[in-house]
Amino acid sequence: MHNLLDKKKCIILSALDLIQEHGFHASPVSQVAKNAGVASGTIYTYFENKEALIIGIFEYVTEEIRKYVSKGDDTNLSFKDRFYNYWKNLTDFYELNPSIHRFYDQFLNSPFNSEEMQIKSNVWHDFSHGFFESGIKQGEIKALNPIVLSILVNTNVNSIVRIKRNFKNKLARNNMDLDEISHLIWDGIKVE
Amino acid sequence: MHNLLDKKKCIILSALDLIQEHGFHASPVSQVAKNAGVASGTIYTYFENKEALIIGIFEYVTEEIRKYVSKGDDTNLSFKDRFYNYWKNLTDFYELNPSIHRFYDQFLNSPFNSEEMQIKSNVWHDFSHGFFESGIKQGEIKALNPIVLSILVNTNVNSIVRIKRNFKNKLARNNMDLDEISHLIWDGIKVE
DNA sequence: GTTCTGTGATTGAACGTTCATTCATCCTCT
DNA sequence: AGAGGATGAATGAACGTTCAATCACAGAAC
């Protein structure tokens, strides 16, 4: 599995896959190694211990999100258009990478996401804060705390993706359009 | 600790306290027993195993939320007023019981919250669905799926409480009023 | 009132398992 | 030949769970 990629990435992808399905404590290092096609000792060449591995996955995951969302951002557009792009790109990314979505949800609500973790700079969070800050500077959205804004928007995208996954059939039947939530949020934060 | 309450509740409260701080896997049964003031064997008179204990806590916790929120509901009011009451009561409850808030967040995003868990009937979720269903029946909110509506509202309350806890000082400085989010949501779901 | 007896909860040492981590050994290149 | 990565059996700590022994106490017997 993943034999063509470099070892560190193999280990991360293998662990990501196990953790999203079974959780942190039900994903033994031995199994991570097996799925990655390496010996368990090899993991310790790349990560100091299991906790470092999990934090390594978090960093990998947030970098992947940042890459995808920032790639789709065009600073020449109006902030309204940029906002809708941001929303769509983040949603698409999670739907293309369900294991990342599930891991991220688990991580954010776990004790791994400690206070020092939240203080640590993080490429994705920094991008997200900066994104909303630029909207405020341009005077297109209300001058709320950009950190709070980004958490709120990201939380809503997260939970909408989760709902879509869990209620796939029911949503189709009821013809729900969850994407309308994005209009609701935009109407709430835009400057009138 | 909790010596005056009955044993089962002692065990639940002790485990709730440990889990909200350290997570599921870093809360050994031996420590739960110690904090509850019982022997570890005693836990197995009340719960089949550790997983049953965790699910027992979830049931206890959701029942507490339901009691608090339904107590503050007055079906004679307009649905708009009921909505704002619901929002306020849920927020207040989490702020009064931070360990429940943290446990609930962790549980919902963990593999414990399996598919069968989501199908299982749950007093709080049933209440919440029923609440939004009645708003739809009265024609005061849009005919969206009440399950989706309740998840969205509950998710937003959850994350606002989390933000308030994590950014206590920053919010005070920036004079943020997160409760405005409730107006934003109401404007989005109400029938014009 | 006192002693006896049955019942069911409580205890915590002991057990077996699982797990993260280590390290002597073994490749695989250069 | 040598350096450095990779191996996986071995290690020991930690964990969930069990169970024989103990305890608390209610009612019966006297």
Side-chain angles (χ1 to χ4, degrees), chain B residues 1-189:
Chain B
M1 194 203 197
H2 309 308
N3 279 338
L4 303 173
L5 307 167
D6 75 288
K7 288 245 164 69
K8 189 172 178 180
K9 200 167 172 185
C10 283
I11 293 164
I12 286 180
L13 293 179
S14 159
L16 182 58
D17 202 53
L18 279 168
I19 290 171
Q20 64 98 5
E21 188 170 7
H22 301 113
F24 299 118
H25 76 290
S27 304
V29 173
S30 59
Q31 191 120 130
V32 171
K34 207 174 168 184
N35 275 32
V38 301
S40 49
T42 306
I43 289 177
Y44 291 85
T45 4
Y46 298 98
F47 302 96
E48 205 189 322
N49 49 40
K50 197 185 177 182
E51 188 176 333
L53 166 61
I54 289 167
I55 290 169
I57 299 170
F58 175 70
E59 282 162 359
Y60 166 79
V61 148
T62 49
E63 170 60 15
E64 292 295 304
I65 300 175
R66 200 216 96 239
K67 277 201 297 206
Y68 193 91
V69 176
S70 71
K71 201 185 56 177
D73 186 28
D74 180 352
T75 53
N76 294 317
L77 299 176
S78 72
F79 192 76
K80 181 180 179 180
D81 287 343
R82 286 178 70 199
F83 172 83
Y84 280 108
N85 266 349
Y86 178 103
W87 189 286
K88 182 179 169 19
N89 289 330
L90 188 52
T91 304
D92 287 351
F93 180 81
Y94 284 141
E95 285 175 350
L96 287 168
N97 302 277
S99 66
I100 289 184
H101 178 245
R102 290 180 61 96
F103 172 89
Y104 192 58
D105 256 2
Q106 260 182 81
F107 186 92
L108 285 186
N109 294 290
S110 78
F112 283 110
N113 190 24
S114 59
E115 214 152 321
E116 58 174 312
M117 202 66 218
Q118 287 174 33
I119 290 163
K120 241 171 114 174
S121 93
N122 172 298
V123 284
W124 158 236
H125 295 160
D126 290 348
F127 172 84
S128 188
H129 304 163
F131 179 81
F132 288 102
E133 206 161 21
S134 76
I136 294 167
K137 279 203 181 119
Q138 289 171 234
E140 298 206 44
I141 59 174
K142 293 173 188 159
L144 305 171
N145 182 329
I147 295 179
V148 172
L149 266 174
S150 70
I151 293 174
L152 274 177
V153 170
N154 294 349
T155 301
N156 274 284
V157 171
N158 256 23
S159 64
I160 288 167
V161 172
R162 197 181 323 123
I163 292 171
K164 279 191 189 171
R165 190 183 57 228
N166 291 343
F167 295 91
K168 233 183 170 99
N169 302 327
K170 281 186 187 168
L171 285 175
R173 251 192 280 126
N174 292 330
N175 198 24
M176 283 281 310
D177 190 6
L178 281 169
D179 297 328
E180 288 211 356
I181 308 287
S182 59
H183 307 316
L184 190 160
I185 302 264
W186 173 255
D187 287 344
I189 65 172

Side-chain angles (χ1 to χ4, degrees), chain A residues 107-175:
Chain A
F107 186 92
L108 286 186
N109 295 292
S110 77
F112 283 109
N113 191 25
S114 59
E115 214 150 323
E116 58 174 312
M117 203 65 218
Q118 287 175 33
I119 290 164
K120 239 171 117 175
S121 93
N122 172 299
V123 283
W124 159 236
H125 295 160
D126 290 349
F127 172 83
S128 188
H129 304 162
F131 179 81
F132 287 103
E133 206 161 23
S134 76
I136 294 167
K137 281 204 180 119
Q138 289 173 233
E140 297 206 44
I141 59 174
K142 292 174 188 159
L144 305 170
N145 182 329
I147 295 179
V148 172
L149 266 174
S150 70
I151 293 173
L152 272 176
V153 170
N154 295 349
T155 301
N156 274 283
V157 171
N158 256 22
S159 64
I160 288 167
V161 173
R162 199 182 320 124
I163 292 172
K164 279 191 189 171
R165 192 183 56 228
N166 292 343
F167 295 90
K168 233 183 170 98
N169 301 328
K170 282 186 186 169
L171 285 175
R173 252 191 280 125
N174 292 328
N175 199 23

Side-chain angles (χ1 to χ4, degrees), chain A:
Chain A
M1 190 199 197
H2 306 308
N3 278 339
L4 303 174
L5 306 167
D6 75 290
K7 288 244 166 69
K8 190 173 178 180
K9 200 167 172 185
C10 282
I11 293 164
I12 286 179
L13 292 178
S14 159
L16 182 58
D17 201 53
L18 279 169
I19 290 171
Q20 64 99 3
E21 187 170 6
H22 301 112
F24 301 116
H25 74 290
S27 303
V29 173
S30 59
Q31 191 121 129
V32 171
K34 206 173 167 187
N35 276 30
V38 300
S40 51
T42 306
I43 290 177
Y44 291 86
T45 335
Y46 298 98
F47 300 97
E48 205 189 325
N49 50 40
K50 197 184 177 182
E51 190 176 331
L53 167 60
I54 289 166
I55 290 169
I57 300 170
F58 175 70
E59 282 162 359
Y60 166 79
V61 150
T62 50
E63 170 61 13
E64 291 297 303
I65 301 175
R66 200 216 96 239
K67 278 200 297 204
Y68 194 91
V69 176
S70 70
K71 199 184 56 173
D73 186 28
D74 179 353
T75 53
N76 294 318
L77 298 176
S78 72
F79 193 75
K80 181 179 179 181
D81 288 343
R82 287 179 70 199
F83 173 83
Y84 281 109
N85 265 349
Y86 177 103
W87 188 285
K88 181 178 170 19
N89 289 330
L90 187 52
T91 304
D92 287 351
F93 180 81
Y94 285 141
E95 286 175 351
L96 287 168
N97 302 277
S99 66
I100 289 184
H101 179 246
R102 290 181 62 96
F103 172 90
Y104 192 58
D105 257 2
Q106 260 183 80
F107 186 92
L108 286 186
N109 295 292
S110 77
F112 283 109
N113 191 25
S114 59
E115 214 150 323
E116 58 174 312
M117 203 65 218
Q118 287 175 33
I119 290 164
K120 239 171 117 175
S121 93
N122 172 299
V123 283
W124 159 236
H125 295 160
D126 290 349
F127 172 83
S128 188
H129 304 162
F131 179 81
F132 287 103
E133 206 161 23
S134 76
I136 294 167
K137 281 204 180 119
Q138 289 173 233
E140 297 206 44
I141 59 174
K142 292 174 188 159
L144 305 170
N145 182 329
I147 295 179
V148 172
L149 266 174
S150 70
I151 293 173
L152 272 176
V153 170
N154 295 349
T155 301
N156 274 283
V157 171
N158 256 22
S159 64
I160 288 167
V161 173
R162 199 182 320 124
I163 292 172
K164 279 191 189 171
R165 192 183 56 228
N166 292 343
F167 295 90
K168 233 183 170 98
N169 301 328
K170 282 186 186 169
L171 285 175
R173 252 191 280 125
N174 292 328
N175 199 23
M176 282 281 310
D177 191 6
L178 280 168
D179 297 327
E180 288 210 356
I181 308 287
S182 59
H183 307 316
L184 190 161
I185 303 263
W186 173 254
D187 287 344
I189 65 172
K190 75 171 179 209
V191 167
E192 313 290 348

